[in-house]
Structures are given as C-alpha cells and as structure tokens.
Amino acid sequence: MLTIYSDDHHLHHGRCELMDGQLMPCFEMPSRADHVLERVKAQALGPVEAPRDFGLGPIQRIHSAAYLEFFKGAWDRWAKYQRDGDLLPFTWPARTLRTVIPTSLHGQLGYYSFDGGAPITAGTWQAAYSAAQVALTAQAEVQGGARSAFALCRPPGHHAAGDLMGGYCYLNNAAIAAQAFLDQGHEKVAILDVDYHHGNGTQSIFYERNDVLFASIHGHPEAEFPFFLGYADERGEGAGEGFNFNYPLPAGSGWDTWSAALEQACGQIRGYDADVIVVSLGVDTFKDDPISQFKLDSPDYLAMGKRIAALGKPTLFVMEGGYAVAEIGINAVNVLEGFQSAP
C-alpha cells in the first residue's frame, strides 16, 4: 500500500489548546505523524512518496472562498500585533448573538471557528494545505486503479466544515478527497469515520447530498466532543435524507460493542453500493488514549482493517485522530495491514 506523506506537517506545532478550564499543551502534535511514518517503514507497508500539488481548486470545492482567504492570511495579520503566542479565538457568535462577519481579526477568528482547540501558528496554513495535497495525491492513486492508499495527513480534518475550523482541524482532507472522486467521474462515495469523535465537519458538508453516504462510529455527543452533532436521529436533509448514519456509543465501549456498530455501518455502505470508500482513520478509540473513552486494543485494529476490506471496494485511508502517541503508529498501521492482508 502506497503512503503519501509530507514533512510540512512539522510547520504546525501549536503551543496550547483550551481544555478543562485551562490552556494545556496540544495533544495534537507533530510526533503523531512521525510515529505513524516510522511504523509504516518498519512494517514495510509499501513505498512512501511526497504529495503532488493540485492547487487550491479541489480545496475550494469544499471550503468557501471567504474562509480560505481568512485562514491563509490570519497569521500575517496576527504577526502585526507583535504578540508572543498562537492565534486562538476568545469570542464566538453564540445563540443570542448575530452571525455577522466583523472586520477585526479576532472577530473573524471567532466567526470561522467553533472551539479553542485549533491554534493558528506561523506554519499552520502551509501544513494544512500540504495535508490536503497528501489526501489528493493518495486519492489520485486510488482513482488510477490502486486497491487502496494511505494519506498520512496532519493536521487532521474531519471536524472542519465548509467555513469553520475546530477540533484540531482546518481543511477537511477526507471531504476534499471524496469530492475529487465525484469530480473525476464517480457517482457514489461512502465516507466511513472511525475516529472516537464525531466527524461533524464532514457530516455538515454532505448532509443535504445523496452522492456521499456518511457513516460515523463515535463517543456519544451527550458526553463527548463535539457535543452538538453526532446523534443517531441525524439522518440527512433534503436530497441527503437517509444518507447519514451516526452510531454514538457510550464511554467504555470495547471491541464487541464497537464492532457491532461497524457491522451496521458496513451494511449501510454495502446497500449504498458506493464506487469507492474514504475512511477517516482515527485511532483514538484505543484503550489508553488520553482524551477518549473507548477500550479497543491494538489487535482489534487488524480486525477493523479486515472488515473494511470485506466491502470489496477501492479504499482511501485518511489519517485523523489518535493521541496515545507511543501506540498511534502500531494501531494505524494495524488497520492498513489488516486491510492489505485480506483476500
């Protein structure tokens, strides 16, 4: 299996995020991707290549021009303040406020974000842009006939909506790749999100469409981030009604419970008969993940990969979350090896 990877992810290294009432060191750190890359090489999964540059066009198919303009220029505007720190929002347009777009940097930052977990640093735009190119290059490999490919993206993307950043995510790599498949002739794409946290950004992007089926297995939003999306009764709207499937599970869920939800999700994907599958590959479902509450163990990820392979469709894996850094490489590559070993 070909892995696409860019060293540009090191350009994004936030100092802190807002969590549990305090500013804490970021759980989303460069060593995450480094450990996955080391494991890919150690297990001889396949060749590792740098991404090609497909430009802004495919990204603009998912993200609004105004959002991209803001994100690309935010750090330069912040640098003029000559402050020592990352750019983080502190005001959001909550329910009783207007959703106008202010002219100030901080006002716009609040408008285009939904939490304090997506710091912007000097290199964040380039890192996120390169991550999208990683996804597009791996997508091109599958489009060209490969059974599978792995986009080792960082920063992750599934919490980013069309004009909204948050949850460590800025550009939605999986959504960008899914749209590229459609633009290149496919009629139906399925996105399977196995990250511990609901892919709220991906859901919102495709919620009113029937050319992308979205299925997500995640911690129940009654108690888990992102809290305000990911409930089982969210089934899509308009043309998209019946093409969105959420499987929220309680804290402490292990493989038996989780794999039962996977069976249901795979059943929906099989019934949809997608041309291709995009997997938002988060491994923060691991039992020792510091910010998640599921109890999957490393061998379970081999079984996960085999079950996805049984769908018999060309499959693009796009790296999302996973914050038990020492084990992230083992768990992510186990999924890929499980898929690759299946007949």
Side-chain angles (χ1 to χ4, degrees):
M1 184 185 302
L2 176 66
T3 295
I4 307 298
Y5 165 85
S6 171
D7 271 329
D8 281 358
H9 79 88
H10 289 106
L11 298 172
H12 172 63
H13 191 179
R15 296 186 186 185
C16 60
E17 61 179 284
L18 180 61
M19 182 180 288
D20 293 336
Q22 57 185 318
L23 290 173
M24 304 175 62
C26 292
F27 286 99
E28 203 293 293
M29 60 187 72
S31 58
R32 297 176 58 252
D34 295 339
H35 278 274
V36 177
L37 181 64
E38 289 171 6
R39 185 68 175 181
V40 164
K41 293 179 176 179
Q43 294 299 104
L45 183 73
V48 178
E49 296 181 3
R52 306 201 302 265
D53 190 345
F54 293 85
L56 272 174
I59 298 172
Q60 292 170 327
R61 296 285 288 136
I62 293 297
H63 295 285
S64 73
Y67 171 72
L68 292 173
E69 180 181 8
F70 165 77
F71 178 27
K72 186 176 182 180
W75 179 259
D76 287 342
R77 294 170 66 186
W78 177 233
K80 293 178 181 178
Y81 286 86
Q82 297 182 336
R83 305 280 174 81
D84 182 24
D86 298 343
L87 179 57
L88 278 171
F90 60 84
T91 305
W92 292 271
R95 292 185 302 279
T96 60
L97 302 177
R98 291 180 63 186
T99 54
V100 296
I101 306 178
T103 58
S104 74
L105 171 62
H106 290 295
Q108 290 181 2
L109 181 62
Y111 179 84
Y112 288 119
S113 64
F114 70 88
D115 73 353
I120 294 177
T121 73
T124 300
W125 164 260
Q126 184 59 52
Y129 176 87
S130 293
Q133 303 308 320
V134 165
L136 287 165
T137 304
Q139 179 271 331
E141 176 77 2
V142 177
Q143 178 70 15
R147 179 187 180 219
S148 61
F150 176 39
L152 210 182
C153 296
R154 182 185 171 270
H158 72 149
H159 293 306
D163 61 354
L164 206 62
M165 66 180 69
Y168 310 144
C169 301
Y170 307 86
L171 301 177
N172 195 313
N173 306 307
I176 291 166
Q179 185 63 52
F181 279 122
L182 294 169
D183 290 342
Q184 293 165 25
H186 292 287
E187 295 184 355
K188 294 190 291 185
V189 177
I191 299 178
L192 174 62
D193 192 321
V194 298
D195 192 279
Y196 177 77
H197 303 95
H198 178 250
N200 58 290
T202 310
Q203 173 174 305
S204 68
I205 288 166
F206 297 114
Y207 201 62
E208 297 181 2
R209 293 170 52 173
N210 60 14
D211 53 357
V212 175
L213 180 144
F214 178 66
S216 177
I217 309 165
H218 50 270
H220 204 296
E222 287 181 342
E224 294 292 345
F225 181 91
F227 302 109
F228 303 104
L229 216 60
Y231 292 82
D233 63 352
E234 297 161 8
R235 298 294 303 275
E237 291 181 355
E241 186 173 357
F243 296 92
N244 194 91
F245 300 94
N246 288 322
Y247 302 93
L249 303 177
S253 294
W255 176 248
D256 287 349
T257 300
W258 196 95
S259 62
L262 178 63
E263 284 298 323
Q264 294 181 59
C266 287
Q268 295 294 347
I269 292 171
R270 186 178 295 280
Y272 183 61
D273 194 24
D275 301 324
V276 64
I277 298 170
V278 177
V279 178
S280 275
L281 180 58
V283 292
D284 43 0
T285 48
F286 182 57
K287 61 185 179 63
D288 294 327
D289 194 274
I291 59 173
S292 306
Q293 306 297 325
F294 286 169
K295 299 300 179 184
L296 272 61
D297 206 348
S298 293
D300 297 329
Y301 295 99
L302 288 164
M304 184 190 302
K306 290 178 181 178
R307 181 61 187 91
I308 295 170
L311 289 167
K313 298 291 185 178
T315 302
L316 170 64
F317 293 91
V318 177
M319 193 70 211
E320 301 286 3
Y323 309 99
V325 176
E327 295 87 2
I328 187 175
I330 294 171
N331 296 333
V333 174
N334 274 6
V335 177
L336 305 176
E337 288 188 313
F339 181 95
Q340 194 158 253
S341 67

